[in-house]
Amino acid sequence: MIKVAINGYGTIGKRVADAVAAQPDMEVIGVSKTSVSAEAYIAKERGFPLYIADIEKRESFEKAGIPVAGDVEEMIKKADIVVDATPGGVGAKNRPIYELYKKKAIFQGGEDADVAEISFNAHANYKEAIGKQSARVVSCNTTGLVRVIHALDQAFGVEKVRAVMVRRGGDPNDIKRGPIDAIVLNPVTIPSHHGPDVRTVLPHINIVTLAMIVPTTFMHMHTVQADLKKETTRDAVLEVFRSHNRIGLVTKATKITSNAQLREYTQDLGRPRTDLWENGVFEDSVSVLDGKEFYCFQAIHQEADVIPENIDAIRALMGTVNDPDESIRMTNEALGFVA
Ligand code: NAD
C-alpha cells in the first residue's frame, strides 16, 4: 500500500483524500489543516488522522472536539508521497521540507511549473513521470484542454489550437469571490496563461487562449477550435472522444445545454460532491468544417477534473504501475466513473 499524506485539506485536498482512500493500492496516512473549520470535522468524520501546520494550535482543535495526530512534519515523515493541495504559491514554500525528508511530492496547478520536475497529465505524459521525485498536476482548465488536444493530436495531428475559457467566478463555498454581476476579461491581455500552461505538458502545440470570468460557481465552459493536420469527419472525432475514458460526451438526447443542467445530472448520478471528473464535451457542438477545422464546447468541473490525475501521478512517481492505461483504468474504476 502506498502511504499518501495530503497537505492542505481544502477544495482539492479533501477530494484527493477520498479518491486515495477509494484506491486498492493506496492509503491516506494523514491530512492537514491550519485552523479549526468545517473541513477539520469532515476529516475526523472520515477517520483521516489530522495533522496541523502550527502545533501550538493543538488546544483549539482539541477544544472543538477534533483530535490532533501531530504536526505536518510528523505527517510528512510517515508518508511515501505527499500530495500538496495548499493554496497557490504555498506549495513552493513547502517544497524544501519534502526535499529534506526525501519524500516524493505532487503539487497543484496554482504553482509555477518549475516547482516540480514535470507538469503532469495521465494520458499525455504518464510514462515520462515514472520514478520522478515530483510532479505538478496542471490546473483544471489546462487539464481539460490537454485531454482534448492530446486526443485530437494522437488521432489526426494538431496544427494549431485557439480556445476561449469562460471561467467560474469562484468555487461554490467561496464567499469572497466574484463577480456578482459582470463579465470580467481576465486577463484582458491576449494570450491568457492557459496556452503556455498547456505547453508545459504538450510543448509542440501551437496554442493561443483567451479567458474571462462570469458569475457562476460550477464549471468553466471552453470553446475549443483546432486546425487538424489530417482530413477527418465529425463522426471520426466523436469516435475518438467516445473511446477516451476521461472525456464524457454530453449527448443530444439528455437535452443538457448548460453547466446548471450538468450539475443536476452529476447530482442525480449520485456522484460524490456532484463531481464531474471527465471533460463534458457537448456532442452537438462537435463540428468539423472543411475536413480539418475542429470546434467544440466543453464543460470543465474545476473542483473535480484534476482529482483522478492526482491519483495517476501518485502511481507514476512511485513507479508501482508502469502502464498508463492500467493506472487510469484502476483510478476510474475505484472512483466509479460511468462509461
Ligand atoms: P483551498 O483554499 O480550498 O484549500 C487549501 C487548503 O490548504 C486549506 O484547507 C488551508 O487550510 C490549507 N493550508 C493553507 N496553508 C497551509 C499550510 N501552510 N500548510 C498546510 N495546509 C495549508 O484551495 P484549493 O482550491 O483546494 O486549491 C489548492 C491548489 O489546487 C491550488 O494550487 C489551486 O490553484 C489548485 N486548484 C484549485 C482548483 C479549484 O477549483 N479550487 C482547481 C484546480 C487546481
Side-chain angles (χ1 to χ4, degrees):
M1 293 290 258
I2 305 170
K3 294 183 169 57
V4 185
I6 292 107
N7 197 14
Y9 191 68
T11 305
I12 298 300
K14 65 189 176 188
R15 288 173 164 81
V16 171
D18 284 353
V20 166
Q23 306 303 313
D25 54 342
M26 304 178 186
E27 62 179 322
V28 177
I29 60 99
V31 303
S32 80
K33 283 299 303 173
T34 45
S35 59
V36 178
S37 67
E39 279 151 352
Y41 282 100
I42 295 298
K44 180 188 164 195
E45 200 63 32
R46 294 279 203 272
F48 299 142
L50 184 74
Y51 293 81
I52 58 177
D54 177 2
I55 200 66
E56 297 196 348
K57 290 191 184 161
R58 181 192 279 266
E59 210 182 313
S60 63
F61 279 83
E62 290 179 346
K63 265 191 189 155
I66 302 164
V68 171
D71 68 9
V72 167
E73 212 164 320
E74 287 174 62
M75 175 178 83
I76 291 165
K77 283 195 229 164
K78 286 188 182 147
D80 296 323
I81 186 163
V82 184
V83 177
D84 187 299
T86 56
V90 178
K93 292 188 187 130
N94 289 337
R95 189 173 73 168
I97 188 154
Y98 308 142
E99 287 172 346
L100 177 69
Y101 292 111
K102 298 191 170 44
K103 299 296 176 177
K104 293 185 185 264
I106 294 170
F107 299 93
Q108 307 305 314
E111 305 299 322
D112 291 339
D114 63 7
V115 75
E117 287 172 61
I118 188 168
S119 287
F120 180 85
N121 172 270
H123 281 86
N125 64 1
Y126 184 103
K127 283 195 173 161
E128 289 166 46
I130 291 175
K132 290 218 177 337
Q133 229 9 56
S134 61
R136 177 184 71 121
V137 171
V138 289
S139 75
C140 45
N141 279 305
T142 306
T143 294
L145 286 170
V146 166
R147 283 181 185 158
V148 155
I149 295 167
H150 181 256
L152 290 171
D153 197 36
Q154 294 286 101
F156 315 109
V158 165
E159 195 66 51
K160 65 176 189 183
V161 180
R162 302 293 179 254
V164 179
M165 262 129 300
V166 179
R167 302 164 64 192
R168 60 89 178 94
D171 291 338
N173 68 347
D174 205 339
I175 58 175
K176 290 188 185 149
R177 290 190 47 179
I180 289 176
D181 185 10
I183 299 170
V184 183
L185 304 176
N186 187 288
V188 67
T189 49
I190 296 168
S192 71
H193 74 276
H194 305 93
D197 205 32
V198 166
R199 290 166 56 100
T200 65
V201 181
L202 302 171
H204 63 289
I205 294 292
N206 170 341
I207 176 167
V208 175
T209 51
L210 294 73
M212 63 190 82
I213 297 180
V214 297
T216 192
T217 61
F218 190 71
M219 301 191 174
H220 308 294
M221 196 69 84
H222 294 176
T223 64
V224 184
Q225 192 275 315
D227 288 353
L228 305 174
K229 287 185 178 157
K230 279 191 220 150
E231 287 221 353
T232 187
T233 61
R234 173 175 189 268
D235 283 346
V237 171
L238 283 172
E239 207 35 57
V240 168
F241 289 169
R242 265 187 213 109
S243 61
H244 192 293
N245 50 14
R246 287 198 184 146
I247 294 178
L249 278 180
V250 183
T251 59
K252 184 187 172 104
T254 62
K255 302 191 179 72
I256 295 174
T257 56
S258 68
N259 60 337
Q261 293 157 298
L262 209 38
R263 183 195 176 110
E264 188 81 359
Y265 183 65
T266 57
Q267 208 166 328
D268 291 344
L269 278 176
R271 285 284 181 95
R273 302 186 173 91
T274 68
D275 282 356
L276 182 70
W277 299 297
E278 311 89 325
N279 291 23
V281 173
F282 289 80
E283 182 183 31
D284 254 7
S285 72
V286 173
S287 308
V288 177
L289 306 184
D290 298 329
K292 290 187 174 179
E293 251 180 64
F294 162 86
Y295 295 85
C296 80
F297 286 124
Q298 63 172 355
I300 298 299
H301 184 187
Q302 78 278 3
E303 300 161 289
D305 71 335
V306 297
I307 305 307
E309 304 294 334
N310 271 272
I311 300 300
D312 295 322
I314 292 171
R315 289 198 191 94
L317 294 197
M318 294 305 296
T320 52
V321 176
N322 288 335
D323 176 6
D325 292 337
E326 174 61 6
S327 175
I328 291 166
R329 190 198 59 72
M330 286 170 76
T331 303
N332 287 8
E333 193 179 305
L335 286 177
F337 274 50
V338 176

